[in-house]
Amino acid sequence: MADAPSGSSAPSAPSDFIRRIIADDLRTGKHDHILTRFPPEPNGYLHIGHAKSICLNFGSSLEVGGVCNLRFDDTNPEKEEQEYIDSITRDVRWLGFDWADRLFFASDYFEKVYECAEELIRKGLAYVDSLSAEEMREYRGTLTQPGRESPDRHRPVEENLRLFREMRAGVHPEGKYVLRAKIDMAAPNINLRDPVLYRVKFATHHHVGDAWCLYPMYDFTHPISDALEGITHSVCTLEFEDHRPLYDWVVDHLDLGCKPRQIEFSRLSLEYTVMSKRKLNLLVKEGLVSGWDDPRLPTLAGMRRRGYPPEAIREFCARIGVSKADNRVEVGQLESCVREALDASSPRAMAVLRPLKVVIETLPEGHLDRLTLGNHPKRPELGQRSVPLTRDLFIEADDFAEISPKGFKRLVPDGEVRLRGGYVIRCREVVKNEAGEVVELRCTHDPATLGADPVGRKVRGVIHWVSADRSLPASIRLYDRLFLRPDPEEEGQDFLTMLNPASLETVTGRVEPSLADAPPEARFQFERVGYFCVDQDSRPGALVFNRTVTLRDSWAGGN
RNA sequence: UGGGCCGUCGCCAAGCGGUAAGGCACUGGACUUUGACUCCAGCACUCCCAGGUUCGAAUCCUGGCGGCCCAGCCA
């Protein structure tokens, strides 16, 4: 893809049971081309689970020379909005996929779907039912008991047709009638117990306006839409497995000239987050997060704002694979992909999250070294930048310890450490306030160590720093997991009670001056700290960075 | 307890009767002016359990156990 960094490794080549089915269908001649589709309902923002589906649907087809349609499954006007259509198209494109001119709406097929319904009625395979919703539930039976037939089940075809047309014409109120398929009220699969095909809704549809007051159900619309588009493989998640007999029933009893095959895979679960649009919607509506693009959310908009590169998400989807097994993927799996992509592509910079003043007494007042540092340790083509080194500096508070923990390689009283890209300094004096807190370090520097190793001794530690007066203040948002538990709903918990109160910490740090004009979404590695991106709220003079992910830290475990 | 599906390393996941891939994580070690990156090494005598078939079983059969999904005029 266009923004794949040259330094990144080749993406994993996916292979799974669905791709195998596709390969077999091509090999045996069942199909001579492949056409898949990604069919989101525009009732929320896309999340990483959708990314798995997008990568699968687009990927499996593209890899064998096929294409993939983008189709909005917009059969329920009460839950759908144009805002979601806009966000979805943006997110799919951002992820790196292109549907060319194949953008479709199930609602554009409503006339054809309606004709299919009349066809079923004429064939005696569908009927208008006047059972109320509650009655229908009673008649449906239970998981262990068969249902009973509605008294309307044997309504004459002509009457069904008349009533159905009246439903379309708007003469009947919502809830009075529905159109049902006539299948088998005793079927062990509840989806086959005369499922509802159409219901009346006097709602304005976001895409077709007031053209209809009669809306088809997913189970009826989806197979017809697939067949109309000539979809060869209709890939969806496991909860639709029980619907496949109904999917096949619809296609088999209609003359659509095409029979797509539905194949199901298990949806993605990620640790410490929730993945359903209903729950995400709740978090957004309740104001528990800042919006659909809150960087703590698993939404693609949130991940984009967090600084996750699209190629990292694609790689993640390739690595986790596709199967039918229940799963809950570790966050580290995703973070590994993010770090891999960002290590290769991100320019380095220095920033201090929790500043501790350092004065280099051996440098004169007003001293200024304009150091030229490489933007990337392995990619000189990413250029260089100038970093000012002055007498007064800030270092990370964590990089100094009065009492050295064992194995500590940073600054301690009377100890030496290298300033990244600068001199080796020695701590001569620790200045504290009345409360006994360390507020300043008085140090000396070894002028012979700029770009050279000190003679006669080895300095193990290297720490990052910024000039005290030539650095810029920045608001830095440190994100952590949104929930306290890997499964926020474990043991029937209300997931809202499991929110992590520390999922966002904002600190005011200092960043090197080269970052002054970095535009929103620009990504950097703050050396030794992590990967950060410029937030859309950032302005010159009021910089805002989001922590995308920390650097891997093999020291953190030791203390 | 009706129906459907699933159970291979801490987490994903290959495997499809011939003697357990890979990734992430983890543990060493090398390198290092990022405790990063990179590199090298280690990491399932065993595939939910129990029987059976077979020269040979994670793969086939039988019986258990465990988990997920389904009773919207949602998708």
Side-chain angles (χ1 to χ4, degrees):
Chain A
M1 307 283 154
D3 53 351
S6 59
S8 76
S9 56
S12 314
S15 166
D16 53 68
F17 76 99
I18 293 175
R19 276 175 241 253
R20 195 172 316 125
I21 289 170
I22 289 174
D24 286 348
D25 288 346
L26 249 14
R27 187 173 43 72
T28 62
K30 178 178 179 183
H31 296 295
D32 58 7
H33 72 281
I34 299 302
L35 212 206
T36 57
R37 104 268 90 115
F38 172 60
E41 182 190 12
N43 67 342
Y45 277 56
L46 258 26
H47 53 63
I48 185 85
H50 292 108
K52 177 179 178 179
S53 175
I54 293 166
C55 290
L56 213 208
N57 276 299
F58 278 86
S60 61
S61 187
L62 261 32
E63 286 155 21
V64 294
V67 293
C68 179
N69 293 349
L70 174 60
R71 181 173 75 230
F72 285 99
D73 227 328
D74 54 352
T75 57
N76 187 352
E78 290 170 349
K79 294 185 175 178
E80 300 156 6
E81 295 174 24
Q82 183 63 37
E83 178 198 350
Y84 298 131
I85 291 176
D86 297 339
S87 72
I88 290 167
T89 52
R90 180 185 183 196
D91 289 346
V92 174
R93 208 174 277 128
W94 175 75
L95 231 205
F97 295 97
D98 179 23
W99 54 88
D101 59 348
R102 297 179 312 283
L103 170 63
F104 303 111
F105 292 82
S107 55
D108 284 335
Y109 305 141
F110 280 176
E111 189 61 46
K112 181 65 189 173
V113 175
Y114 176 84
E115 287 166 17
C116 288
E118 287 210 351
E119 184 182 338
L120 288 184
I121 292 172
R122 282 192 297 273
K123 286 177 174 171
L125 294 171
Y127 61 98
V128 173
D129 197 356
S130 56
L131 247 32
S132 69
E134 308 80 70
E135 289 170 326
M136 204 177 293
R137 196 182 319 121
E138 290 165 22
Y139 275 72
R140 190 151 33 225
T142 68
L143 295 178
T144 53
Q145 292 164 230
R148 290 141 50 212
E149 298 187 351
S150 165
D152 292 346
R153 197 169 199 262
H154 299 291
R155 195 192 293 278
V157 169
E158 285 313 313
E159 191 179 327
N160 282 323
L161 235 28
R162 195 196 86 231
L163 254 18
F164 189 52
R165 287 169 183 168
E166 287 174 1
M167 286 164 71
R168 175 177 185 171
V171 330
H172 300 296
E174 290 183 13
K176 183 169 182 192
Y177 294 117
V178 294
L179 183 74
R180 291 229 260 169
K182 191 187 290 185
I183 306 182
D184 178 7
M185 288 307 293
N189 181 344
I190 289 182
N191 293 300
L192 263 20
R193 317 241 265 230
D194 288 11
V196 171
L197 265 23
Y198 266 96
R199 75 288 211 194
V200 172
K201 280 181 193 284
F202 289 96
T204 298
H205 189 281
H206 56 91
H207 186 63
V208 294
D210 294 313
W212 296 84
C213 62
L214 183 63
Y215 292 95
M217 300 287 288
Y218 163 86
D219 281 316
F220 190 51
T221 314
H222 204 80
I224 294 171
S225 302
D226 281 347
L228 290 176
E229 291 177 16
I231 300 299
T232 55
H233 302 268
S234 181
V235 176
C236 62
T237 43
L238 243 29
E239 69 272 24
F240 292 103
E241 208 158 19
D242 288 340
H243 295 237
R244 194 171 64 227
L246 177 52
Y247 183 102
D248 289 338
W249 185 92
V250 170
V251 177
D252 288 342
H253 292 276
L254 256 13
D255 187 26
L256 298 163
C258 172
K259 180 162 185 182
R261 198 232 276 214
Q262 176 177 306
I263 307 171
E264 312 83 12
F265 68 98
S266 53
R267 59 195 315 160
L268 168 67
S269 298
L270 241 197
E271 286 185 333
Y272 299 103
T273 192
V274 291
M275 209 68 96
S276 84
K277 279 193 277 190
R278 197 205 112 239
K279 290 168 200 152
L280 294 172
N281 206 312
L282 191 61
L283 292 169
V284 173
K285 294 288 192 292
E286 295 292 310
L288 273 3
V289 293
S290 66
W292 283 100
D293 66 346
D294 188 298
R296 294 168 291 186
L297 255 22
T299 52
L300 296 184
M303 290 181 168
R304 173 170 57 239
R305 190 167 180 180
R306 173 92 170 235
Y308 286 15
E311 67 269 25
I313 294 172
R314 276 184 252 125
E315 172 64 13
F316 171 73
C317 292
R319 287 190 193 178
I320 58 174
V322 177
S323 75
K324 298 184 72 163
D326 298 333
N327 64 79
R328 175 159 244 109
V329 178
E330 292 177 337
V331 179
Q333 189 82 248
L334 213 204
E335 292 183 338
S336 168
C337 297
V338 172
R339 290 191 184 103
E340 179 179 294
L342 258 19
D343 175 56
S345 61
S346 302
R348 313 284 120 129
M350 287 197 283
V352 172
L353 267 35
R354 294 175 174 84
L356 171 61
K357 180 89 171 287
V358 164
V359 177
I360 301 177
E361 298 179 319
T362 42
L363 248 24
E365 300 275 356
H367 177 86
L368 172 63
D369 282 321
R370 295 182 192 277
L371 303 176
T372 298
L373 305 183
N375 286 332
H376 192 108
K378 292 180 179 174
R379 299 182 62 196
E381 73 274 21
L382 257 34
Q384 301 177 315
R385 68 197 193 280
S386 179
V387 179
L389 186 151
T390 53
R391 185 171 192 265
D392 292 356
L393 307 173
F394 287 122
I395 66 168
E396 204 70 67
D398 282 356
D399 284 337
F400 171 78
E402 266 197 288
I403 298 153
S404 172
K406 72 174 190 314
F408 195 68
K409 298 202 312 192
R410 285 109 92 148
L411 195 56
V412 297
D414 210 40
E416 279 189 308
V417 76
R418 175 177 291 281
L419 297 178
R420 172 71 165 157
Y423 304 96
V424 169
I425 61 170
R426 181 181 298 275
C427 176
R428 296 294 184 181
E429 184 189 348
V430 178
V431 182
K432 297 180 183 178
N433 60 16
E434 305 74 35
E437 298 159 341
V438 177
V439 294
E440 184 179 307
L441 267 19
R442 310 291 295 189
C443 300
T444 56
H445 81 296
D446 180 345
T449 56
L450 191 58
D453 286 331
V455 292
R457 61 198 196 281
K458 200 183 297 181
V459 174
R460 291 282 292 174
V462 179
I463 64 173
H464 58 282
W465 54 276
V466 295
S467 163
D469 56 321
R470 289 179 180 251
S471 61
L472 276 9
S475 180
I476 303 179
R477 298 170 180 168
L478 308 175
Y479 295 104
D480 199 354
R481 47 188 57 151
L482 222 207
F483 291 93
L484 295 167
R485 293 217 213 172
D487 175 4
E489 294 182 300
E490 196 179 297
E491 289 154 27
Q493 291 285 317
D494 173 3
F495 75 105
L496 293 180
T497 67
M498 295 310 301
L499 279 167
N500 175 12
S503 59
L504 168 60
E505 179 187 6
T506 302
V507 298
T508 299
R510 310 281 310 188
V511 303
E512 61 171 71
S514 71
L515 263 22
D517 301 314
E521 290 193 23
R523 298 186 271 248
F524 300 90
Q525 184 199 97
F526 289 171
E527 291 201 78
R528 301 207 318 127
V529 181
Y531 296 96
F532 293 76
C533 70
V534 180
D535 189 78
Q536 60 195 38
D537 291 344
S538 190
R539 297 189 318 280
L543 299 174
V544 180
F545 290 90
N546 296 325
R547 183 172 68 194
T548 305
V549 64
T550 61
L551 246 35
R552 193 164 160 273
D553 185 357
S554 58
W555 163 255
N559 191 322

